[in-house]
Amino acid sequence: MELRDGLLYSKEHEWLKVEGDEGICGVTDYAQDSLGDVVYAELPEVGKKIKQMEPFMVLESVKATSDVYAPVSGEIIEVNEKLQDSPELVNSDPYGEGWLVKIKLENKDELNNLMDKEAYAKFLEEEEK
Amino acid sequence: MTKLIYELSRPGKRTYIPVKKENISSKFPHELLPSKFIRKKKAYLPEVSELEVVRHFTNISQLNVGVDTNFYPLGSCTMKYNPKISEYITQDSQFKDIHPYYPEKFSQGALEILYETASYLEKISGMDKVTFQPAAGAHGELTSLLVIRAYHTANGNPRKKVIVPDSAHGTNPASSALAGYEVIEVRSNEKGMVDCDHLRELMDEDVAAIMLTNPNTLGIFEQNIKKIADLAHEYGALLHYDGANLNAILGRVRPGDMGFDTIQFNLHKTFATPHGGGGPGSGPIGVKSHLVKFLPVPHVEKKKGGAYFLNYDYPESIGKVRAFYGNFLVVLKAYIYLRILGERGIFETSAGAVLNANYLLGLIKDKFDLPYNERYMHEFVVSTKRYKDKGIKALDVAKRLIDYGFHPPTIYFPLIVKEDLMIEPTETEDREVIEAFADALNSIAEEIDKDPDLLKEAPHVTPVGRLDEVWAAKHLILRYEKTEN
Ligand SMILES: Cc1ncc(COP(=O)(O)O)c(C=O)c1O
């Protein structure tokens, strides 16, 4: 499983890349692998208010339909329109072209609830047991 | 690949249809029907000869895999054998040709069958009243939730939430949402059962119902069921039994005695009626006495003198959920099945189902991972996790089983187990079949070590190889459209 430096990770397997008071969010390599081939991304509307740890959008794979949880609270300011036609980007490039949404952060303290790369790697080990 | 019948079509091809002249109306449709019902464009129907029709459908039928051709251990679906005598009897014109608009006095036999089958199901489930209107298990779930909503509404507040386990079948949350409820998920504990502490945290006066199946979708009996029922009732919530797994406990314990208030039966699972193809489904529901007045109308009832009638006089009923009285011929097949088995046979059914599942598990458990080391009932869940390093997934094992002549088990359900095979052999298979299937799984496990590509490229013996599921999901084509040529 690929993990990247400089990202924050949630227990529900989302990653967040913080830039100023904005964050780009996607799902991790581990998440895309357990989801299986993604066939549809039900993206939220720009302007939607989301709350940390609550589901805010849905990814549909050949196996199942799964909620994606908000790594932080805030407002959706951009969604990855490319996923409308090419949801498979979530599988092929989860940390890059397969990003999901851009979030305007509401409360930076919430970032303390997320894990860094090392902590997430440990968390995954536990999950796999 | 087989051509579509439309692709066989050639202009002017006809089949001889013998008709009596006097039965034919000499009027054209537009003389008989209001113009809004008349189609503007000619219907596009295939033009083929009788022989072509026969060959076409016979050839397609030979590509089909069913319980009548292969072992079909599809977990959660109870693919038991459907006795042919049921087909034989339902083809009798006394059953087949009656119409729901017949007056009651000419329909006494049919009404008696509905009444009697309901009374059997009431006895089996420990419920007070059964209706046959819902046309599938999922429809029965929805109908039960509408009854539950009517009950709470009559008590002054329909409430807001329905709790389902994280191991639940997708229809449980879907039916809850359709009935206007917010879905809340309760976690499973390390034994694969409902986490009662988490459930207690989730409970409040806004919870309308908890939906459970018992044994659950892992095939494990919820040992805390009494505690769960008490917890639900303490908050005024009702408990719904998803009857998908009723086969495991048939004649042994009754959902009504466990504290459930409503149940949906899947006649096409537990009661050996066809799963589609052979006819429509049936998902009757049963309820405890305090909910009877909310059931769909009409109820089939019996007068003092013994005559059966349809009673519409239930002003608090949720109304109708389907035309007439349910899929009558399917109910008739369940009735025949129950009459063949009798009380003793029903009691033995669940024993056979549990024995077959556990014997099979015992034969394969060294080669696959067991996510929960519990006592399993009529089905069990194993995982192919240990083969991940070889690049093998549950899907590959399932596809390879086709080459061995078996229908694959359910895979990737329940969602809480990774790379799982969910296997339900049912009681209608004999020992040799169970052993042959175990041999196949064990030999596939050996193939993974020797030649994993054999699995990745499976199936090899089918008319088409591995299908591209992603492409199919993204390019959904639901009907044939004529392309100009
Ligand atoms: C556990 C469970 N609940 C409900 C259903 C829904 O039943 P039906 O397919 O009759 O709508 C199924 C069907 O497979 C099931 O397995």
Side-chain angles (χ1 to χ4, degrees), chain B residues 75-77 135-141 167-172 213 216-217 242-245 264-269 275 281-283 379 413 422:
Chain B
S76 206
C77 295
H139 194 197
E141 290 171 31
S167 59
H169 192 253
T171 51
N172 291 184
T213 171
N216 63 25
T217 56
D242 174 341
N245 293 340
Q264 113 266 344
F265 306 83
N266 301 54
L267 295 190
H268 43 282
K269 300 182 178 182
H275 280 74
S282 181
E379 67 188 1
F413 169 66
M422 182 201 224

Side-chain angles (χ1 to χ4, degrees), chain A residues 1 30 33 37 39 62-64 85 87-88 128-129, chain B residues 185 385 388 393 412 415 418-419 469-471 473-474:
Chain A
M1 287 308 141
Y30 175 85
D33 184 63
D37 293 307
V39 292
V62 285
K63 287 190 220 164
D85 289 329
E88 66 276 7
E128 276 299 275
K129 267 195 195 142
Chain B
E185 220 174 73
K385 229 164 94 177
K388 201 169 174 185
K393 303 192 159 206
Y412 301 118
L415 299 175
K418 294 199 179 103
E419 299 301 332
E469 293 180 27
V470 180
W471 196 90
K474 286 171 67 180

Side-chain angles (χ1 to χ4, degrees), chain B residues 197-485:
Chain B
D197 296 329
H198 188 221
L199 184 64
R200 186 170 289 281
E201 280 168 39
L202 295 175
M203 284 309 295
D204 61 30
E205 308 273 326
D206 277 333
V207 176
I210 304 173
M211 299 180 91
L212 291 180
T213 171
N214 195 12
N216 63 25
T217 56
L218 296 162
I220 299 170
F221 194 84
E222 292 284 353
Q223 287 166 10
N224 293 319
I225 189 59
K226 200 78 189 92
K227 204 161 129 193
I228 295 170
D230 290 344
L231 189 57
H233 294 144
E234 188 185 315
Y235 286 90
L238 300 180
L239 195 58
H240 173 75
Y241 185 86
D242 174 341
N245 293 340
L246 186 62
N247 209 44
I249 59 165
L250 214 51
R252 308 268 159 180
V253 283
R254 310 192 307 167
D257 300 334
M258 294 180 211
F260 285 93
D261 301 280
T262 60
I263 171 176
Q264 113 266 344
F265 306 83
N266 301 54
L267 295 190
H268 43 282
K269 300 182 178 182
T270 321
F271 300 99
T273 71
H275 280 74
S282 181
I285 69 167
V287 300
K288 287 273 179 68
S289 56
H290 54 291
L291 300 169
V292 171
K293 60 183 175 184
F294 303 112
L295 283 177
V297 282
H299 297 198
V300 181
E301 292 178 10
K302 198 170 174 177
K303 287 185 189 150
K304 280 231 164 58
Y308 298 94
F309 72 108
L310 296 167
N311 191 348
Y312 285 85
D313 191 18
Y314 288 91
E316 288 182 81
S317 159
I318 60 164
K320 275 187 156 304
V321 295
R322 197 177 188 287
F324 305 114
Y325 329 114
N327 288 324
F328 173 68
L329 292 180
V330 183
V331 179
L332 175 60
K333 286 175 188 175
Y335 174 83
I336 296 164
Y337 177 72
L338 285 166
R339 290 302 300 262
I340 295 171
L341 287 179
E343 233 169 273
R344 187 74 221 164
I346 289 164
F347 190 70
E348 281 167 10
T349 294
S350 45
V354 173
L355 180 62
N356 271 354
N358 282 279
Y359 182 48
L360 178 53
L361 174 59
L363 294 175
I364 64 157
K365 70 172 188 306
D366 294 340
K367 293 283 189 349
F368 296 89
D369 297 293
L370 207 55
Y372 299 95
N373 205 357
E374 295 296 318
R375 161 91 35 230
Y376 287 88
M377 296 204 57
H378 68 303
E379 67 188 1
F380 60 85
V381 171
V382 291
S383 162
T384 63
K385 229 164 94 177
R386 71 174 70 171
Y387 301 114
K388 201 169 174 185
D389 297 343
K390 296 244 157 58
I392 293 298
K393 303 192 159 206
L395 180 71
D396 303 313
V397 174
K399 297 288 186 194
R400 183 68 181 141
L401 273 168
I402 299 173
D403 290 336
Y404 281 81
F406 297 107
H407 191 285
T410 298
I411 52 174
Y412 301 118
F413 169 66
L415 299 175
I416 55 172
V417 186
K418 294 199 179 103
E419 299 301 332
D420 71 311
L421 307 169
M422 182 201 224
I423 303 178
E424 179 181 13
T426 85
E427 73 284 0
T428 57
E429 301 296 336
D430 57 27
R431 182 171 169 172
E432 289 71 23
V433 175
I434 303 285
E435 287 171 353
F437 183 71
D439 286 348
L441 269 176
N442 289 330
S443 117
I444 290 171
E446 275 165 31
E447 288 172 358
I448 298 175
D449 287 328
K450 287 192 215 117
D451 185 8
D453 284 342
L454 203 55
L455 276 79
K456 288 183 205 165
E457 286 154 23
H460 303 272
V461 302
T462 43
V464 291
R466 183 76 67 101
L467 298 172
D468 185 343
E469 293 180 27
V470 180
W471 196 90
K474 286 171 67 180
H475 302 88
L476 209 55
I477 299 172
L478 296 174
R479 67 190 173 115
Y480 174 77
E481 274 185 78
K482 194 182 175 189
T483 45
E484 300 304 330
N485 48 4

